[in-house]
Amino acid sequence: MKRSLWLLSLALAACCRGGWELNEQARAVVSAVSTKDPDVELDYTCSLEDEVVAQLDRACVILDARQAKLIELNDRHAVALTDEERARLSDVRDAAIDVLYAELNQLDRFAEHLASPAPSMTPLAVYRVQAAEGQTAPVDSSAMNVVFDHVTIAGPRDQPAGIVLRGASNAVVVRTLVDDMQRQALEDGILTPEFRDALGLAQ
């Protein structure tokens, strides 16, 4: 009886997983034009707290949008009529790969920590300070913007460069990252109506 329950729990755990990986088309693009690992993936379990899982699920939608844009850029590159257009699209495609992997790497580091947390380590949201647009005089604290920069996993004595949010819940930290991913995706114009709908955004 105990063994049956143990096997059932394993089966439920196996079914109760979330994650993301490059699809076949995107993997082919990355393999052809980049030195990055095309088999990179994000893996997490739904045994995490609901809000964390919801944010990671949301992140996967944004990664899907970035992946779709990468495939579109590669298709446009393949039919470019001039060397100038081909070179421009190559640069844009390379940048799209870099952003996709930068976001995925942060999410993967976060998910790995939650799956196997070290007692002294914790996820931190790190912000940076930038002067207000157009400001040329010495930085005035009243004219500074504090913007999200990245998530890192750090020990109690680690001090990442920037303004660090300590003591926040895992849900707050990952939501900060995913909110920034969504902001950047909106700025980049990669969220089609389908992806906007999946994220609950107005059309």
Side-chain angles (χ1 to χ4, degrees):
M1 179 64 177
K2 285 184 178 180
R3 179 169 174 79
S4 297
L5 290 174
W6 176 73
L7 290 172
L8 177 61
S9 67
L10 286 181
L12 289 173
C15 294
C16 193
R17 300 199 71 80
W20 187 89
E21 61 184 4
L22 291 169
N23 64 27
E24 186 176 346
Q25 283 181 286
R27 191 178 291 115
V29 174
V30 171
S31 296
V33 305
S34 172
T35 59
K36 298 187 186 298
D37 179 9
D39 295 321
V40 68
E41 62 182 12
L42 173 67
D43 182 51
Y44 53 96
T45 171
C46 65
S47 64
L48 300 171
E49 58 184 288
D50 291 347
E51 177 62 13
V52 170
V53 172
Q55 295 305 319
L56 291 172
D57 288 346
R58 186 174 152 228
C60 289
V61 175
I62 300 169
L63 293 174
D64 277 341
R66 290 214 169 274
Q67 173 176 249
K69 185 64 176 180
L70 173 60
I71 294 167
E72 178 198 325
L73 287 167
N74 193 63
D75 289 345
R76 288 167 55 194
H77 180 274
V79 297
L81 298 178
T82 67
D83 289 342
E84 291 80 4
E85 178 70 0
R86 194 172 296 109
R88 186 187 69 80
L89 286 170
S90 181
D91 289 343
V92 175
R93 182 183 59 192
D94 289 346
I97 291 173
D98 287 343
V99 172
L100 172 62
Y101 273 73
E103 293 180 343
L104 183 55
N105 287 341
Q106 283 196 78
L107 290 163
D108 185 52
R109 190 179 307 121
F110 178 84
E112 282 186 358
H113 169 76
L114 295 184
S116 183
S120 63
M121 306 296 281
T122 186
L124 302 177
V126 182
Y127 296 77
R128 58 188 163 85
V129 177
Q130 58 182 199
E133 186 175 350
Q135 181 181 0
T136 56
V139 174
D140 175 0
S141 61
S142 65
M144 292 190 305
N145 296 320
V146 178
V147 295
F148 173 79
D149 191 63
H150 66 283
V151 162
T152 188
I153 309 299
R157 296 185 179 181
D158 294 333
Q159 185 59 45
I163 297 173
V164 179
L165 176 63
R166 289 192 182 272
S169 68
N170 290 328
V172 167
V173 171
V174 72
R175 185 169 64 244
T176 303
L177 171 58
V178 180
D179 282 350
D180 194 69
M181 289 174 60
Q182 180 173 291
R183 176 198 60 76
Q184 190 62 56
L186 287 167
E187 286 186 10
D188 293 344
I190 66 169
L191 296 181
T192 63
E194 175 188 2
F195 291 121
R196 293 178 72 97
D197 185 60
L199 291 168
L201 297 174
Q203 299 293 338

